Each structure stands twice: as C-alpha cells, then as structure tokens.
C-alpha cells in the first residue's frame, strides 16, 4: 500500500500536464483516519469555478484507489485563496523549462 500523501501528490494537473497538483500548490492536505482507513484530501482550486476540479477530484480518487485506499473523500476549500506563492520550487523550474 502506497502512502496516501505520495499517491495524491503524484496526480498530474489536467491543464498543465508537466506539474503535479502538489507542485502547483492545489493539494493542501492528506489525512488518513487510522480507525477506518478513510483518506480525506483537501484541495484548493487555482481560481473559483476552475473547470478542471472535477477531473482532479476523479484523478485523486483513482490514484488513491490504485494505491490501496478505496475510501476517499475530496474536500474543496476556497479560503485562503490559492496563490502563485504556493507553487513549489520544482514546479517553478518545470514552468520555466
């Protein structure tokens, strides 16, 4: 079984395919309930109404299911609002390339 944080962090952004959602700063947290095994993933869209969020949610569920975590809840939070400051250094390097 793959660590749920690692599985979620590896999901690729559907609009900027060279970046993962972790590198882009969309992935806020990944928590697992040890009693139930349920994984709760919290994400923040790059902007309110981002059309890629449905695809990202589905990709997170699929990645975690494949990693051995079938019970997944994806929560979307809008506050604080996403900022380009959240893009990781590796993400910035990929965008420059």
């Amino acid at each position: 079984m793959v660590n749920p944080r690692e599985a979620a962090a590896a999901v690729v952004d559907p609009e900027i395919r060279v970046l993962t959602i972790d590198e882009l700063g969309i992935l806020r947290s990944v928590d697992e309930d040890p009693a139930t095994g349920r994984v709760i993933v919290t994400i923040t869209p790059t902007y309110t109404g981002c059309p890629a969020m449905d695809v990202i949610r589905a990709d997170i569920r699929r990645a975690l299911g494949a990693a051995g975590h079938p019970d997944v809840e994806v929560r979307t939070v809008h506050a604080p609002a996403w900022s380009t400051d959240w893009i990781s250094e590796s993400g910035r390097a990929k965008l420059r390339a």
Side-chain angles (χ1 to χ4, degrees), residues 11-92:
V11 171
V12 176
D13 180 78
E15 294 181 318
I16 308 174
R17 307 252 350 132
V18 298
L19 296 179
T20 66
I21 61 171
D22 190 43
E23 292 169 324
L24 192 53
I26 292 171
L27 183 63
R28 298 283 298 277
S29 65
V30 179
D31 299 299
E32 184 176 11
D33 182 335
T36 65
R38 180 173 207 158
V39 177
I40 300 170
V41 179
T42 304
I43 56 176
T44 296
T46 55
Y47 63 93
T48 302
C50 174
M53 294 311 290
D54 288 338
V55 173
I56 291 170
R57 284 185 206 92
D59 288 350
I60 290 169
R61 287 186 188 96
R62 189 173 15 263
L64 284 165
H69 305 279
D71 188 5
V72 178
E73 176 184 347
V74 181
R75 296 179 180 169
T76 302
V77 296
H78 297 280
W82 179 86
S83 164
T84 56
D85 293 342
W86 294 2
I87 300 173
S88 70
E89 286 304 315
S90 65
R92 290 176 193 285

